[in-house]
Amino acid sequence: MTSTDTTPPAARPIRRLLIANRSEIACRIIQTARELGIETVAVYSEPDRDGAHVAAADRSVALEGRTPAESYLDIDKILAAAAETGADAIHPGYGFLAENAGFARRAVEAGLIFVGPSAEAISEMGDKIRAREAAESSGMPVIPAAALTEDRQTNLDAAARLGYPVLVKAAAGGGGRGMRRVNEASELEEAAHGARREATAAFGDGRVYLEKYILDPRHIEIQVFGDGRGRVVDLGERECSVQRRHQKIVEEAPSPVVDAALRERMTRAAREFAASIAYAGAGTVELVLAPDGEFYFLEMNTRLQVEHAVTEAVTSTDLVRWQLEIASGGSLPELTPEPRGQAIECRVYAEDPANGFLPTGGTIARVDHPSGVGIRVDSALSDGSVVALEYDPMLAKVVAWGADRGQATERMIEALRNFRIAGVRTNIAFLLDVMRSVRFAEGAFTTTTIDEHYSAWKPTDTDAAALASAAAAILIRRGVARSAGRAGGGETGSERPPSPWDTLGAWRLGQSAEHGTAARKRS
Ligand code: ADP
Ligand code: ADP
Ligand code: MG
């Protein structure tokens, strides 16, 4: 290890933690903080006034805005909330300000502990071009790439040298945005313009570059932790190849295609890279694995990942706890746990898979969360929750652990069948189809499988997810209207409306028509 400009985290305990985020991830972080006896401060936007994270925290501060820009992205408001409540640390979660170097810098300047790496590391890794350079100089394999210039012919020559297909990528990209695949020379200029426009709008930074497009790749990523003093450990890999438009939907650990020798090569490359930048805290080194078995650096995410729970499930660790311990100056464990069994995560989105996966908003009339041996659900949903279109459409994450991949899949299918959400369309029936597919059972998904084979997906009759949702919403409205009427008539009104699940009959999600008929006959 050589010298570095990254200041090691100061050794001081965290007493009061502000969580600069919302929804399931804010609740997840509050959970661990409470276990550690750390007081928690939630911040919230107007639509989130009744949010689960507000109720879960010890204290909360209204950010008095509706859009992300007016609330969870407003650095001044969040730092003011920290000052007002005497917080000594900030956890940014994922999304929003989690990879905003300016936020990390200003938090530290305000005397707060930022639960994450240094502002320098965030800024260097947030720029895919600089991150590639840093990765390459640590010995990590990188995908052949070229600069995109203002000159059309220079760009065409560069793409021809890389060989089609190529990918136009935004230096500041994230969340699958700012990317355009180019199959032949005639598409290049338009793709570059489109990506530039999208990146300028989404990230305020229109710089784009060219990468060779790896055909039929798998997305494999390595969870690393650094102590900021040059020591880095890893917690193995996650496979995230089930993606739609470069956005993950299903993740698992370990990967069904990574053997011990490949794991050793991948994790060593990731550790050496993170160590070369004296990385502090939780980080994810994302790689693509080509069909020929070669892997290449994609990017490094300098935060807790959405899919961190699959790593927690197979290693029996609490990654948020590790983050908080490192942030308060603690050291990494000498030995890291070996992964045991298999964990799968499904992201439940408020979107309509039968209608181009369009995000859907609305009010959750009724939600029943699944449970069971090996099942974990990270969710901030409850009856009456409002799904606002302003925010990411992810509603919840279901994680299933099993002794092997078959058992984890069986448990996931059963959990998804029992995850009942009324009032808002979700992708649950779609997730069930993926889980039940032969392709998934064979571990054969690449990052393009969904886009190639599921674009015209429609729910099957037996799923009837949309119908179940609509029927339940109507029944609940009736039930609610009845009890409201009783309350008006001088009764207490505390009685719970009848459960729509009791009367849904054939429309139960994932149940066969026979079950439904039997249920109706009984009632
Ligand atoms: P993961 O690899 O953990 O799935 P993603 O890249 O999908 O991470 O992003 C996680 C969350 O952060 C998503 O809600 C996504 O929309 C959001 N996000 C990612 N990058 C950015 C960015 N540069 N600016 C704002 N939000 C982002
Ligand atoms: P983001 O910051 O949006 O997460 P990434 O660089 O991590 O961007 O890429 C997101 C996804 O896009 C990857 O998981 C992979 O599916 C695809 N991808 C990115 N670069 C390439 C490439 N050069 N070849 C093939 N697929 C790629
Ligand atoms: Mg990525």
Side-chain angles (χ1 to χ4, degrees):
M1 204 54 37
T2 52
S3 74
T4 165
D5 59 359
T6 311
T7 320
R12 58 188 164 113
I14 296 172
R15 295 202 171 83
R16 190 172 295 160
L17 177 70
L18 182 142
I19 298 98
N21 218 299
R22 64 184 297 276
S23 193
E24 64 87 18
I25 193 61
C27 294
R28 161 74 191 87
I29 294 159
I30 290 167
Q31 170 76 37
T32 292
R34 294 183 70 95
E35 283 172 22
L36 296 174
I38 296 171
E39 286 180 56
T40 53
V41 180
V43 291
Y44 61 97
S45 64
E46 268 158 33
D48 282 342
R49 185 183 308 273
D50 299 319
H53 74 289
V54 180
D58 297 309
R59 304 178 63 171
S60 59
V61 179
L63 296 173
E64 288 173 352
R66 190 166 177 94
T67 64
E70 295 164 347
S71 53
Y72 302 106
L73 289 172
D74 189 325
I75 295 176
D76 289 329
K77 281 186 186 172
I78 289 168
L79 292 180
E84 180 191 323
T85 53
D88 49 21
I90 294 190
H91 195 308
Y94 58 71
F96 294 122
L97 296 171
E99 291 174 285
N100 184 311
F103 179 54
R105 187 172 297 116
R106 287 198 46 203
V108 171
E109 282 167 6
L112 297 160
I113 294 173
F114 180 78
V115 183
S118 66
E120 294 78 34
I122 295 174
S123 132
E124 187 171 8
M125 294 303 111
D127 180 333
K128 287 189 204 273
I129 298 172
R130 282 168 65 201
R132 275 178 54 93
E133 285 165 7
E136 192 169 18
S137 42
S138 80
M140 170 81 80
V142 295
I143 303 171
L148 275 172
T149 67
E150 292 299 315
D151 182 61
R152 192 168 168 274
Q153 195 52 48
T154 314
N155 294 344
L156 285 170
D157 293 346
R161 268 197 305 278
L162 292 175
Y164 290 94
V166 293
L167 191 64
V168 179
K169 286 180 88 164
R177 284 170 301 172
M179 249 182 276
R180 293 277 196 292
R181 178 176 162 165
V182 180
N183 294 311
E184 49 181 84
S186 64
E187 299 168 2
L188 183 62
E189 272 314 278
E190 203 195 312
H193 280 302
R196 224 173 246 137
R197 221 180 310 116
E198 190 176 328
T200 307
F203 315 113
D205 177 350
R207 287 174 305 134
V208 291
Y209 65 104
L210 271 187
E211 234 174 40
K212 172 135 188 84
Y213 188 90
I214 309 291
L215 284 167
D216 292 324
R218 323 263 311 198
H219 174 118
I220 316 268
E221 58 186 34
I222 311 296
Q223 176 70 57
V224 297
F225 271 87
D227 65 3
R229 299 179 284 267
R231 184 158 174 260
V232 173
V233 299
D234 76 86
L235 286 173
E237 85 278 4
R238 290 182 289 259
E239 159 104 39
C240 314
S241 297
V242 183
Q243 302 185 348
R244 201 183 67 83
R245 297 203 189 136
H246 310 301
Q247 255 298 7
K248 300 159 187 165
I249 306 174
V250 177
E251 302 97 340
E252 61 183 311
S255 163
V257 294
V258 173
D259 63 19
L262 180 57
R263 177 169 303 123
E264 174 50 29
R265 281 170 53 219
M266 285 179 149
T267 54
R268 187 176 348 106
R271 284 193 309 268
E272 285 175 1
F273 168 45
S276 77
I277 55 170
Y279 192 77
T284 295
V285 179
E286 296 192 330
L287 309 168
V288 282
L289 177 65
D292 64 5
E294 293 301 320
F295 67 86
Y296 306 92
F297 177 73
L298 263 184
E299 64 163 344
M300 181 168 192
N301 290 328
T302 52
R303 56 172 161 88
L304 190 67
Q305 207 87 342
V306 172
E307 59 274 19
H308 72 281
V310 292
T311 301
E312 294 185 325
V314 293
T315 58
S316 300
T317 52
D318 177 342
L319 300 197
V320 173
R321 185 179 188 130
W322 282 35
Q323 285 191 296
L324 294 172
E325 279 169 0
I326 293 166
S328 51
S331 42
L332 293 164
E334 281 310 312
L335 284 175
T336 53
E338 283 299 311
R340 201 176 63 85
Q342 185 78 24
I344 302 171
E345 172 181 279
C346 284
R347 299 190 188 192
V348 176
Y349 285 105
E351 63 184 17
D352 187 354
N355 184 20
F357 294 87
L358 234 64
T360 54
T363 300
I364 305 286
R366 171 82 193 256
V367 56
D368 283 356
H369 290 103
S371 59
V373 178
I375 296 298
R376 162 176 169 183
V377 183
D378 283 15
S379 165
L381 295 182
S382 58
D383 295 358
S385 293
V386 175
V387 180
L389 287 169
E390 277 92 345
Y391 304 116
D392 194 281
M394 197 181 77
L395 294 176
K397 309 183 301 206
V398 182
V399 181
W401 182 88
D404 56 32
R405 199 164 177 269
Q407 187 180 46
T409 309
E410 285 160 9
R411 286 177 171 173
M412 176 62 82
I413 289 170
E414 195 48 28
L416 290 173
R417 279 164 44 87
N418 291 311
F419 198 167
R420 293 167 183 162
I421 301 175
V424 172
R425 276 179 205 274
T426 75
N427 66 337
I428 289 178
F430 177 77
L431 291 167
L432 269 168
D433 265 11
V434 171
M435 285 298 114
R436 288 170 171 150
S437 68
V438 174
R439 266 197 202 89
F440 187 79
E442 290 174 345
F445 267 85
T446 72
T447 59
T448 50
T449 305
I450 296 270
D451 294 320
E452 281 164 12
H453 297 277
Y454 286 79
S455 55
W457 183 87
K458 294 275 180 244
T460 55
D461 288 347
T462 46
D463 287 323
L467 283 169
S469 174
I474 290 163
L475 287 164
I476 285 169
R477 268 202 298 279
R478 279 194 202 140
V480 168
R482 266 203 303 279
S483 51
R486 276 202 299 277
E491 285 172 47
T492 60
S494 61
E495 203 178 315
R496 202 164 142 272
S499 166
W501 313 121
D502 300 337
T503 41
L504 269 182
W507 304 128
R508 283 200 176 189
L509 170 63
Q511 265 187 10
S512 69
E514 294 92 85
H515 284 130
T517 313
R520 252 206 318 272
K521 274 184 194 144
R522 268 202 308 275
S523 61

